[in-house]
Amino acid sequence: MRMQCRCVTICATLLLLITFSGIWLLSTISSASGKATKVRSTACSFELPATGAEKKVPKSSAKFILVTYSNNLGRLSKFLLVTASALGHLPVVLGVGQTTDGWHDPQGWRNKLVTLQTLLQDGGTVADTDVVMFADANDVLMLAEQSVILEQFDRYERQLNKSLFFNAEDVCFPPDGRYCKAKQRGGSTGRETCCMNSGLIIGRGWAWKRMLANVQIPRPVVGKRFSDQEFYQDFALDHPDIVHVDKEGYLLLGSYGGGFELCKTRIVVTTGPARGTFPIALHFPGPGHWAYHDQAGNGWTSPLIDTFCDLVGSGCEKVLPDSILTWSDPWTEVQLPYMSRLINQMNIFATCLFGNESDTRRVRLGEEGRCWKPQILAILLVGGAITMIIVLACG
C-alpha cells in the first residue's frame, strides 16, 4: 500500500511539473513573440536617384488601357480600383454579370479569354500601338500614372525588343502544363522567381491581338483545374520573340519574397538587378493575399492589406474588405467549418513540431507566435502518457 502511495505521489508531482513547465514556456514564448513584432517604415534603405537622372525616352502618342475581369465586383476589388482611380486610371471591367468566375470554372476560364479577345477585336477600341495592361481584379495594386507607364514600357520594349511582359512568381502552375514541364526539365523551378504568372500582363495592342487571335479551349479532364495561365504559357513557349517574363520586377513586380519597400510614398524594388527602380504595378499571388494573424493586436491582415494601407495612409480602414477571412491561408484558423478547422489545427500541430526551420509555413507560424500551442500540447501529451505508464506500473 505504501509503495502504491509513493507511486501516486511521484505521478502527481511529475504531472504538476509538466503543467507548470508548459505554463512557463507559454508565457516566455508569448512575451518573446510580442517583442518580435515588426514595425513597417517608410524610410528608404538606400539613396534614390536624383529627379531627372533617369534616361528619358520620346513621349509616346499611344494610350494606356487598364483591363480587369470579374463576374462579381465586391469589396476585394477595391485594392485595384482605389489605387487605379487615385492615379487617374479608369479600368475596363470585363465579365460583370457572368454566372461563372474566371478561376474555378472551366467555362469561366473560357469566358475570361473570349471577352478579352472581343475587346481587342472591337474596331477602334484598341489600336495596335496602344499599351494594354490586364490585372487580376482582387490582388493587384497600381503604382504609376499613365505617362509614367507609357514611358517605362517604351524603355523596356526597346531595350529587350519584346512587346508582351508577364509578371513572375516562385512556383510553376499548372504543374502538368507544357511550360512547367519544360521548367522542370531545365531545373528552373523551386523557390525562386522562376515562372510566368498571368495575373499581371502588359503589352502592345498588336501583340495582344496576335496572342488572342485563336483561343483554343482544351477538352475537360477529370481532376485537372482549368486556368488561362496555361494558355498564356503555351503562347510564350511558341513565341519567345514577343514574350518576356519580368522576373526582376522592372515593370511588373510580384510579391514573392517581399523584395520591395515603401520609399517616400512609392514602392521600390530592393533586391536583384532591378534594385532601386519603381515598378508600375504590384501583384500579390498566392500567399501574398492569404490572411494571417497580426501579432501587434490588429487582428487578421495580409501582405496585400499591409502594403495597401502603407500606400493609402490612415484612410485604408474605410476600404478594407469585410470578407478577407474568406481569402485565408489554409494553415491559419479562420471562420471555417468545424472539420476544416480541425484539419488546419492538425496541420499546424505537425508543422510546428516536425517542420524544417527553413519551411516558410513553420517560419510564419513562429513569427505569429502560434507554435506554442502545439508545443505545449505535445509536452502535456507526452507527460500524460508517461504518467499513465507509471500509474499502470504501480497498479
Side-chain angles (χ1 to χ4, degrees):
M1 182 68 181
R2 183 174 299 175
M3 184 66 180
Q4 289 181 344
C5 291
R6 184 177 298 173
C7 287
V8 171
T9 302
I10 292 174
C11 293
T13 304
L14 181 61
L15 187 58
L16 285 173
L17 285 174
I18 292 171
T19 302
F20 282 116
S21 297
I23 294 173
W24 173 81
L25 184 60
L26 165 62
S27 61
T28 302
I29 296 177
S30 296
S31 61
S33 64
K35 294 177 182 178
T37 301
K38 297 180 180 178
V39 179
R40 294 186 301 275
S41 171
T42 59
C44 303
S45 60
F46 54 88
E47 185 177 352
L48 294 178
T51 303
E54 293 184 350
K55 182 180 178 181
K56 297 294 183 180
V57 297
K59 187 175 180 180
S60 174
S61 60
K63 66 177 182 288
F64 172 70
I65 302 171
L66 175 61
V67 183
T68 189
Y69 181 96
S70 177
N71 69 317
N72 183 22
L73 283 177
R75 293 182 181 272
L76 290 173
S77 304
K78 289 187 176 180
F79 297 112
L80 174 64
L81 299 182
V82 168
T83 54
S85 63
L87 293 164
H89 304 301
L90 184 61
V92 177
V93 182
L94 305 176
V96 176
Q98 296 281 352
T99 57
T100 55
D101 66 56
W103 176 243
H104 299 95
D105 191 287
Q107 186 61 35
W109 180 81
R110 181 183 187 279
N111 291 342
K112 186 176 178 181
L113 287 173
V114 170
T115 53
L116 184 55
Q117 179 190 54
T118 302
L119 173 71
L120 295 168
Q121 292 178 344
D122 183 18
T125 302
V126 179
D128 287 350
T129 56
D130 288 340
V131 176
V132 180
M133 175 187 286
F134 178 86
D136 276 354
N138 295 338
D139 58 4
V140 170
L141 303 178
M142 293 300 298
L143 305 177
E145 299 174 344
Q146 172 171 310
S147 59
V148 175
I149 291 174
L150 292 174
E151 180 181 320
Q152 291 189 209
F153 180 85
D154 284 346
R155 179 184 301 115
Y156 292 114
E157 182 183 40
R158 296 183 184 198
Q159 179 179 326
L160 299 174
N161 197 27
K162 306 288 179 71
S163 293
L164 269 172
F165 296 86
F166 288 76
N167 82 295
E169 61 179 331
D170 57 1
V171 295
C172 201
F173 178 87
D176 54 353
R178 285 174 55 209
Y179 179 87
C180 292
K181 288 181 179 179
K183 287 288 182 180
Q184 291 168 358
R185 287 194 298 270
S188 298
T189 58
R191 306 307 296 177
E192 75 240 19
T193 57
C194 68
C195 309
M196 174 190 290
N197 179 284
S198 62
L200 191 55
I201 315 167
I202 189 170
R204 287 288 177 194
W206 69 263
W208 273 101
K209 293 173 184 178
R210 182 173 174 182
M211 181 167 61
L212 294 175
N214 186 22
V215 177
Q216 296 291 335
I217 308 300
R219 293 182 179 181
V221 178
V222 176
K224 175 180 170 60
R225 171 182 274 185
F226 285 84
S227 170
D228 58 336
Q229 187 154 289
E230 186 174 358
F231 170 84
Y232 291 126
Q233 289 171 344
D234 287 347
F235 182 84
L237 286 177
D238 298 333
H239 300 84
D241 57 322
I242 298 176
V243 176
H244 176 74
V245 179
D246 191 4
K247 299 178 182 180
E248 297 80 13
Y250 283 106
L251 281 177
L252 310 176
L253 183 63
S255 65
Y256 43 79
F260 63 91
E261 67 179 29
L262 183 67
C263 181
K264 297 180 180 179
T265 72
R266 296 182 67 184
I267 294 294
V268 59
V269 180
T270 57
T271 58
R275 184 177 186 271
T277 62
F278 300 93
I280 60 177
L282 175 56
H283 182 211
F284 290 82
H289 60 237
W290 287 345
Y292 66 90
H293 194 264
D294 183 0
Q295 277 297 110
N298 299 322
W300 294 93
T301 184
S302 73
L304 168 61
I305 289 180
D306 290 343
T307 307
F308 177 73
C309 287
D310 286 344
L311 283 172
V312 303
S314 59
C316 74
E317 294 83 4
K318 299 178 182 179
V319 289
L320 290 182
D322 295 336
S323 57
I324 190 63
L325 291 184
T326 64
W327 252 28
S328 57
D329 186 337
W331 294 83
T332 61
E333 182 181 6
V334 294
Q335 295 177 354
L336 298 172
Y338 172 76
M339 285 305 297
S340 297
R341 294 200 307 271
L342 180 61
I343 293 172
N344 287 347
Q345 285 298 318
M346 293 173 64
N347 285 335
I348 291 174
F349 183 90
T351 302
C352 288
L353 290 181
F354 309 113
N356 189 291
E357 289 298 325
S358 62
D359 186 345
T360 54
R361 297 188 181 99
R362 174 68 177 81
V363 171
R364 173 178 289 183
L365 289 169
E367 289 177 347
E368 295 171 13
R370 305 187 70 225
C371 267
W372 59 264
K373 286 183 179 179
Q375 291 166 350
I376 296 297
L377 182 59
I379 292 172
L380 293 177
L381 286 175
V382 172
I386 294 174
T387 302
M388 184 64 66
I389 293 173
I390 295 175
V391 170
L392 291 176
C394 289

